[in-house]
Amino acid sequence: MGILREDVVVISPAEKAGDPTVISVNCPDKTGLGCDLCRIVLHFGLSIARGDGKWCYIVLWVDGKTNTRWDLLEKRLLEVCPSYFSTSGIDYYRPANQQPKRLDVYLLKFWCSCVRKELLHDITLVLFDLELTIKRVKVSTTPDGKVMDLFFITDTRELLHTKERQGETILHLKTALGDILESCEIESAGEEITACSQGTSFLPSAITEDMFSLELPARHPGGLLASDPISVTVDNSLSPSHTLIQILCQDHKGLIYDTMRTLKDYNIQVSYGRFFANRRGGCELDLFIVQADGKKIIDRNKQNALCSRLRMELFRPLRVAVVSRGPDTELLVANPVELSGRGRPLVFHDVTLALKNLNIQIFSVEIGRHMICDREWEVYRILLDEGDSHHVSRNMIEEGVRKLLMGWE
């Protein structure tokens, strides 16, 4: 008997206020499926409070919001689930790091008559609601106080080539920005335009290898609690066919995604997993895993390398630093990119919200990808307004941004 496509993802609403919404996924398995599902959940701004999964059946208890678009979430989850009707059959260990479908890039260009501290955050909210993904940003402030914004975006719906979709986008931006929006245009971004948007190809010398190191630092950065160490252990005695990875750590936003992203990059299959977050902010994860060949991880060096990488990714999933850029102050945020080419979602949204909360205005923004320490990073370089940045210490800026990115505020 076949299984209906609409039964693959089932979202059960919370029965009462304060209860979690339950998301059930039942489909053929693939390496990296947990990562793909958790990335979508994180993209919708949801927090996973509990999780359970065995083979190709996954249940997530998530804390939602009143404005969560559950129908759209269901559609996006369905898109990453392997089909039951594949003529090639179920391949449990197919390569996980295929490049995602390449979407056309468009240039969204507009002028604003004045600067508002919340301007960039308002724009990111509009684009998020419209399912438009920001790939690159160039924001410049002219001497007379006007703002020119260049957003390089892709459309999840793949409709931005139509007049209707472009008109909808411009209308939403006009509604959100009001009279300060002077003009707005959308055009296809050819290779020439994209190349001209790349900005600087180098990072300042103040960004050292320590910021991008894959080793645990000697001391904890601001905002992390030394009293909450991260424990990652391996046990091969509890299962004849699987290696058990046990993780004890402090909870943070996207924790399950960070774990699954790391395992996916190592081409490791999760056959069964359980996740639980307690009221004190601690998390417990039990993951029964196998290698790409379907066997346990016996090699001690491989075990140690995997545990070390998981500790690092959970300790510093994102890198944040406030440095000098000549006489000015620059905020840098580095987001690790999966081998599949995807970066962590909503980073720019959270950074702009943190700066808005700190009452700091953004002067200019550059977003680019860099190969550092043999790994690709999505780096956000945000030049802060000179007057605003002086009334808040650099430590406060760094801590405020990091806490919001980690979901601790």
Side-chain angles (χ1 to χ4, degrees):
M1 180 181 296
I3 299 179
L4 296 177
R5 182 67 175 167
E6 55 265 29
D7 291 334
V8 173
V9 177
V10 177
I11 299 178
S12 304
E15 295 183 357
K16 59 183 179 180
D19 285 354
T21 296
V22 181
I23 301 173
S24 301
V25 180
N26 188 16
C27 68
D29 201 6
K30 69 173 182 178
T31 302
L33 177 61
C35 173
D36 296 341
L37 296 174
C38 290
R39 187 184 189 281
I40 292 172
V41 170
L42 183 60
H43 183 83
F44 277 76
L46 303 175
S47 174
I48 300 175
R50 181 182 168 196
D52 200 351
K54 187 173 183 180
W55 299 105
C56 54
Y57 185 70
I58 299 171
V59 183
L60 301 173
W61 287 259
V62 301
D63 295 326
K65 303 176 181 178
T66 55
N67 61 343
T68 298
R69 300 167 66 183
W70 298 108
D71 56 337
L72 184 57
L73 172 61
E74 179 180 350
K75 180 181 178 182
R76 294 292 169 250
L77 292 172
L78 279 169
E79 289 173 353
V80 299
C81 292
S83 172
Y84 275 102
F85 308 107
S86 171
T87 56
S88 60
I90 299 174
D91 180 4
Y92 285 92
Y93 306 107
R94 65 175 65 105
N97 294 320
Q98 313 120 315
Q99 291 292 324
K101 180 180 178 181
R102 189 168 183 176
L103 299 176
D104 293 332
V105 179
Y106 293 86
L107 172 61
L108 170 63
K109 176 171 58 177
F110 52 89
W111 284 88
C112 291
S113 58
C114 64
V115 179
R116 262 188 1 211
K117 289 183 171 65
E118 65 274 15
L119 177 63
L120 274 181
H121 184 64
D122 291 345
I123 295 170
T124 59
L125 282 178
V126 172
L127 298 182
F128 169 72
D129 288 339
L130 291 169
E131 294 185 84
L132 298 172
T133 302
I134 300 171
K135 309 300 291 185
R136 187 178 299 277
V137 179
K138 282 283 291 182
V139 178
S140 301
T141 304
T142 63
D144 59 355
K146 292 186 177 182
V147 178
M148 183 185 72
D149 293 333
L150 301 177
F151 280 75
F152 291 83
I153 57 179
T154 58
D155 185 6
T156 304
R157 301 182 196 170
E158 300 184 60
L159 294 173
L160 204 53
H161 62 281
T162 66
K163 294 293 184 181
E164 292 79 8
R165 179 68 161 151
Q166 292 183 11
E168 176 191 26
T169 301
I170 294 173
L171 178 61
H172 278 74
L173 285 168
K174 286 181 177 178
T175 302
L177 302 181
D179 294 338
I180 69 169
L181 182 62
E182 293 189 345
S183 66
C184 184
E185 301 174 6
I186 299 176
E187 62 183 84
S188 177
E191 293 184 3
E192 299 83 3
I193 297 177
T194 304
C196 293
S197 75
Q198 296 298 315
T200 56
S201 60
F202 63 92
L203 291 174
S205 57
I207 304 304
T208 65
E209 289 190 1
D210 179 63
M211 180 178 177
F212 297 95
S213 172
L214 297 180
E215 301 295 329
L216 284 171
R219 61 186 182 87
H220 291 202
L224 291 172
L225 304 179
S227 60
D228 291 314
I230 297 172
S231 170
V232 182
T233 57
V234 175
D235 192 333
N236 274 320
S237 65
L238 294 180
S239 170
S241 56
H242 294 83
T243 295
L244 171 63
I245 295 287
Q246 292 183 304
I247 301 174
L248 301 174
C249 62
Q250 182 184 7
D251 193 11
H252 69 251
K253 180 178 179 180
L255 183 145
I256 305 301
Y257 166 72
D258 293 327
T259 303
M260 295 299 177
R261 167 177 55 83
T262 304
L263 296 176
K264 180 181 179 181
D265 283 352
Y266 273 79
N267 204 19
I268 287 176
Q269 179 86 11
V270 180
S271 299
Y272 174 80
R274 182 189 67 86
F275 162 73
F276 174 73
N278 60 44
R279 295 181 180 274
R280 298 185 300 275
C283 287
E284 302 176 16
L285 289 90
D286 294 325
L287 303 171
F288 287 85
I289 63 174
V290 291
Q291 301 177 110
D293 58 6
K295 298 179 180 179
K296 301 169 70 170
I297 305 176
I298 302 298
D299 186 279
R300 189 61 62 88
N301 291 330
K302 290 183 179 179
Q303 293 178 7
N304 292 337
L306 178 60
C307 290
S308 176
R309 184 63 173 268
L310 282 168
R311 279 192 290 267
M312 182 70 259
E313 297 297 340
L314 297 180
F315 185 75
R316 286 204 304 183
L318 294 152
R319 313 300 167 90
V320 181
V322 179
V323 300
S324 295
R325 186 172 175 179
D328 303 313
T329 301
E330 184 176 50
L331 168 67
L332 291 120
V333 178
N335 173 24
V337 177
E338 298 175 32
L339 291 182
S340 64
R342 298 182 180 94
R344 184 192 190 97
L346 295 184
V347 172
F348 190 57
H349 169 278
D350 289 348
V351 170
T352 56
L353 178 57
L355 294 176
K356 175 183 175 181
N357 293 341
L358 290 168
N359 200 29
I360 294 177
Q361 188 166 294
I362 296 172
F363 183 78
S364 66
V365 178
E366 293 180 17
I367 303 175
R369 291 197 172 189
H370 302 262
M371 291 298 299
I372 304 169
C373 298
D374 298 322
R375 185 177 185 184
E376 188 174 19
W377 298 81
E378 193 170 66
V379 180
Y380 300 75
R381 302 184 61 183
I382 303 171
L383 196 63
L384 307 179
D385 184 89
E386 184 176 358
D388 291 331
S389 61
H390 286 173
H391 77 271
V392 182
S393 70
R394 293 188 175 186
N395 286 340
M396 287 182 63
I397 296 173
E398 185 174 327
E399 183 177 349
V401 172
R402 179 179 286 109
K403 280 186 174 181
L404 203 144
L405 286 169
M406 297 291 279
W408 293 340
E409 283 190 347

